[in-house]
Amino acid sequence: MTSSTTVVTGAGRGIGLAIAHELCARGHRLVITDVDGESAERAAAEVGGGAVGLEQNVREIESHRRIAAEAERLGPLSGWVNNAGVLFAGDAWTQTDDELAAIIDINVRGVMAGSAAAVDAMGRRGGAILNIASLSALGPIPGLALYAASKAAVLSYTTSLQGDLKHAGLPIRARALCPDVVGTAMVTDREKDEGAALLFSGPKPLSPDDIARTGVDLMESRKQIFRVVPRWRGALVRSTDLAPSVGLSALALMRRLGDRRQSKS
């Protein structure tokens, strides 16, 4: 009997690689993609369990259909994790044209194209899609405006997608994971960046392995559409919607705390 397959994008390292490990431990066969093909192949070898590593630039819409077809050749596609993402820090108006294009193409369009390819492949057979959003999807994040906006789009798209799937009668679960800061290279690489202070203003970064377990649990959930990790941070960020001027003042204090921590690192 041919086993089913699950695709994880941007899984050469970080959260994506941790999710691939967790999925493999639960019996999934993986197709791991990364813009760096060699990283994808190394990750597949590390994960084991017959995992395959493929080069993919998620900015290319057609690439998602190609990856879905490759996965289907290995076994029926039953899972898809849109994890690939980028982060740029700084005042919103200072981001370069290339950065603006990249964050929309990768964080937003890549998620939409990946989800569409997954739905087309799974069809009435069913399956699960996990989109990696962020705590920043829930409220204003000064210094990370483009990133926050892109992740808010991911969350909105995922919940709307679930509604479309239900309306169409397709047994596919669309889920969004919204973690606080996770201890990965995407974060540590911004340690000295102006505007990234809020990344370093809160508690100790979360473990990629813990986030991976939560994410796979969410994929398997029959009811919960999105999950914030930790929940208390989600409630704190959402409170800014009640009184934006007060919330932004509190965020300004946190940003200064982050600035001090950055200067000491």
Side-chain angles (χ1 to χ4, degrees), residues 187-259:
V187 171
T188 57
D189 286 350
R190 302 296 172 191
E191 193 170 34
K192 298 296 184 182
D193 287 9
E194 289 187 18
L198 282 177
L199 292 176
F200 308 98
S201 66
K204 181 180 178 181
L206 302 170
S207 159
D209 291 338
D210 289 342
I211 292 302
R213 283 189 289 273
T214 302
V216 177
D217 285 346
L218 181 59
M219 287 182 78
E220 296 173 352
S221 173
R222 296 290 173 177
K223 294 183 178 181
Q224 191 169 17
I225 297 175
F226 74 94
R227 185 172 299 173
V228 180
V229 186
R231 285 189 173 92
W232 71 268
R233 286 279 280 179
L236 183 63
V237 172
R238 283 175 173 170
S239 68
T240 61
D241 290 337
L242 301 176
S245 60
V246 175
L248 286 172
S249 295
L251 287 170
L253 293 174
M254 293 178 65
R255 192 173 183 177
R256 285 197 286 273
L257 173 60
D259 283 335

Side-chain angles (χ1 to χ4, degrees), residues 29-131:
R29 182 173 186 179
L30 279 302
V31 173
I32 292 171
T33 82
D34 198 275
V35 69
D36 182 340
E38 291 183 357
S39 292
E41 291 174 1
R42 285 195 299 270
E46 178 183 323
V47 169
V52 175
L54 299 173
E55 182 176 340
Q56 180 195 19
N57 184 346
V58 299
R59 301 177 76 163
E60 299 169 358
I61 292 178
E62 188 280 329
S63 73
H64 299 273
R65 293 189 289 268
R66 173 178 59 82
I67 294 299
E70 293 284 349
E72 287 274 278
R73 276 192 275 273
L74 297 173
L77 183 67
S78 65
W80 189 290
V81 181
N82 286 305
N83 166 77
V86 292
L87 181 152
F88 303 111
D91 292 327
W93 61 91
T94 66
Q95 311 285 218
T96 67
D97 293 350
D98 287 343
E99 288 172 340
L100 175 58
I103 210 160
I104 296 300
D105 288 351
I106 297 170
N107 291 13
V108 181
R109 195 168 69 171
V111 167
M112 294 176 175
S115 297
V119 171
D120 285 343
M122 294 174 188
R124 298 200 174 276
R125 188 175 63 230
I129 298 167
L130 176 66
N131 294 329

Side-chain angles (χ1 to χ4, degrees), residues 147-167:
Y147 181 77
S150 71
K151 293 304 185 178
V154 169
L155 179 57
S156 178
Y157 172 77
T158 304
T159 55
S160 299
L161 172 62
Q162 184 62 76
D164 286 344
L165 291 167
K166 184 176 181 180
H167 177 75

